[in-house]
Amino acid sequence: MGARSADRHGSGGRPVQTGKGERLADWADGRLGVYGLAKSQMRKVFPDHPSFMLGEICLYTFLILILTGVYLTLFFEPSSAETVYHGSYEPLNGIIMTRAYESTLDISFDVRGGLLIRQIHHWAAVVFVAGMLIHMMRVFFTGAFRKPRELNWLFGWTLLFLGIITGLTGYSLPDDLLSGTGLRFAQGAILSVPVVGTYLSFFLFGGEFPGDDIISRLYPIHILLLPGIMLGLVVAHLILVFYHKHTQFPGPGRDQKSVVGMPFLPVYMAKAGGFFFLVFGVLSVMGAIATINPVWAFGPYRADLVTTGAQPDWYLGFSEGLIRVMPGWEINAFGHTLALGVFIPFSLFPLLMLAIGVYPFIEAWITGDKREHHILDRPRNVPTRTGLGVAWLSLYGVLLIGGGNDIVATRFHLSINVITWAVRIGFFVVPVLAFIITRRICLGLQRRDRDKVLHGRESGTIKRLPNGEFVEVHEPLSQAQRFTLTQHEQAPPYEVGPTVDANGVVRKVRPAERLRARLARAMYGPHTHIPKPTPEEYRELTSGDHHH
């Protein structure tokens, strides 16, 4: 009999009846070939580091969004038909509203557990986008986007972009005064698009704003189209993580071919399962005790009203800040008005996002590095890239203040004009300062690492020498610590080379090559790193009785 036959023979020659679970596994393996796949992948090693849990948070909040979203679809009615409210929330009784807003109130006050699920759903959306942004920044700062993971970076970037759009569509569904104000803001931005802006607005809203179709159109996009695309991207992202193997931070025994960590099954799966319920529990507590998006306090949307201090969710503050602080420039030509004060910032938002998406390919072109990278960079060892990342984050923070300039002015008793001008100036100044300061900090940390390798760690022990001098005793680092601090490469930047050969013939250099060489010098030139200590320097310092 074969090794996986239904009836196996024992030592006495008598057949041993296998269990139902084993027979089912044999049946599945014979038709799907799952045994070989499971054997090769279930013992796959994953490194362990706290920052790697950021990706898990994104995955788990996405699953929670799907679960809670399915529950909410059972009770939400995406209709713009008007009705008069007669429900549990007394202050709104007798008010005309849409069925979408009325059903949202019913979920909040009449459906058992409805308000809790609504708030878990909204908090999960906020954490999901925040987790993706922080996760991508971790990938950016450590260089985890390099070959062979450029495609996975694009998947993550697309998920972030779609997550922002999905948040906007879901935020607009209840048709309350706050979300309606946000839709009005979006419609104004669409109208600023030259030539086709009006047509796009009429197509989206089904006529003049607010129209009768926008809620019913956003609903399938929010619950079906965008989540379906995102689910496919998540699956593809996870498949590539398995295929390429997980990146890891530098350390002893870790190189481009070996991974130090825990097997996927059972250790990693057990930890991941527990972490999922931990994330679900934290979001449930947040939904239970922290109010978010209280639509009953805003009232139904009316085109002639606007909420005081209307603010989008934080992940859209970037785009709103761009529009709020932009001067109201207009151009009138040939009977048409081009609203530059809206169109320019409306265009800048996707362009800034696009710069993030294509950065891995730009860096690969500048360095000319075609090798695979499975060991992460320490951010201090790539100060230019780290400075660029901090500059982008500082720009986001400045524009987030601009998107809430009215709230900031009210809370801190400041002039809104002063805040607006400060954001306008900060848009150009703050990222530059953040880049310069970050790069200097990285160089300082590199210098400290160099001193630590050569002189050891400060022990805090003071020793008096025979000549009366007091010195602090330094403890030498272990071999593993020295390896971690010195394993990174400091390759020379790309150079154009001589433009005239030995025979005096002038070699034509393309403008793209000159640009690449300039960028390589700026990003990876000698001024961007502190030289690593050489073995000769280390032996020279440690050969005698050196205390400091």
Side-chain angles (χ1 to χ4, degrees), residues 149-446:
R149 296 176 179 82
E150 303 97 330
L151 189 59
N152 229 5
W153 169 268
L154 287 180
F155 285 164
W157 176 86
T158 308
L159 281 168
L160 176 62
F161 202 77
L162 291 179
I164 293 174
I165 298 175
T166 307
L168 174 63
T169 56
Y171 172 86
S172 305
L173 287 178
D175 199 34
D176 59 286
L177 189 55
L178 181 60
S179 65
T181 303
L183 275 179
R184 184 61 163 176
F185 178 88
Q187 190 247 359
I190 293 171
L191 286 175
S192 70
V193 178
V195 183
V196 298
T198 304
Y199 299 98
L200 289 175
S201 175
F202 269 64
F203 172 76
L204 181 63
F205 291 91
E208 292 284 354
F209 181 86
D212 297 325
D213 300 331
I214 185 63
I215 301 298
S216 58
R217 291 180 177 181
L218 289 179
Y219 186 67
I221 293 174
H222 178 73
I223 70 165
L224 185 62
L225 178 62
L226 294 178
I229 297 173
M230 293 173 70
L231 182 60
L233 289 172
V234 167
V235 173
H237 185 80
L238 295 176
I239 289 174
L240 286 180
V241 169
F242 263 82
Y243 178 72
H244 294 312
K245 75 183 181 182
H246 205 292
T247 54
Q248 56 187 336
F249 282 96
R254 303 172 184 178
D255 54 35
Q256 302 294 350
K257 296 183 178 180
S258 61
V259 179
V260 178
M262 304 171 298
F264 181 72
L265 196 72
V267 180
Y268 189 83
M269 279 295 294
K271 294 179 66 175
F275 192 48
F276 168 78
F277 289 106
L278 179 62
V279 172
F280 207 154
V282 171
L283 287 175
S284 299
V285 172
M286 293 171 65
I289 66 175
T291 300
I292 187 170
N293 197 24
V295 295
W296 55 88
F298 307 134
Y301 178 67
R302 282 178 47 182
D304 59 334
L305 296 178
V306 63
T307 54
T308 302
Q311 302 293 320
D313 280 327
W314 69 270
Y315 46 83
L316 289 171
F318 185 99
S319 58
E320 182 153 342
L322 281 168
I323 294 180
R324 285 198 185 193
V325 302
M326 180 72 185
W329 297 341
E330 290 185 355
I331 295 178
N332 296 296
F334 306 105
H336 296 278
T337 300
L338 182 59
L340 297 178
V342 179
F343 178 65
I344 291 178
F346 184 55
S347 305
L348 274 177
F349 176 68
L351 289 176
L352 289 171
M353 292 292 294
L354 181 62
I356 300 174
V358 301
Y359 180 85
F361 305 95
I362 295 175
E363 183 175 299
W365 173 69
I366 293 174
T367 60
D369 188 359
K370 301 183 183 301
R371 299 170 300 168
E372 290 193 0
H373 293 273
H374 303 290
I375 299 296
L376 299 173
D377 288 329
R378 300 175 76 211
R380 66 186 64 182
N381 294 328
V382 278
T384 302
R385 183 205 297 156
T386 304
L388 289 173
V390 173
W392 188 89
L393 291 175
S394 67
L395 177 63
Y396 189 96
V398 168
L399 292 175
L400 191 61
I401 295 174
N405 55 0
D406 51 345
I407 298 296
V408 175
T410 303
R411 296 292 184 183
F412 295 96
H413 307 289
L414 299 173
S415 168
I416 193 170
N417 293 325
V418 171
I419 296 172
T420 301
W421 272 103
V423 173
R424 287 173 179 173
I425 297 171
F427 178 86
F428 299 98
V429 175
V430 172
V432 176
L433 290 177
F435 174 81
I436 295 173
I437 293 172
T438 301
R439 197 159 79 160
R440 289 187 64 87
I441 291 174
C442 289
L443 292 174
L445 292 173
Q446 287 186 40

Side-chain angles (χ1 to χ4, degrees), residues 37 81 133 383 499 509 524:
L37 180 65
L133 179 62
T499 57
V509 180
Y524 303 101

Side-chain angles (χ1 to χ4, degrees), residues 462-496:
I462 305 300
K463 181 178 181 180
R464 184 178 181 181
L465 300 181
N467 61 1
E469 179 185 3
F470 287 92
V471 297
E472 182 181 13
V473 177
H474 285 213
E475 296 178 354
L477 300 181
S478 65
Q479 186 176 358
Q481 292 172 322
R482 291 197 303 271
F483 172 80
T484 302
L485 297 180
T486 59
Q487 54 77 39
H488 60 282
E489 296 180 352
Q490 291 182 337
Y494 169 80
E495 294 182 355
V496 174

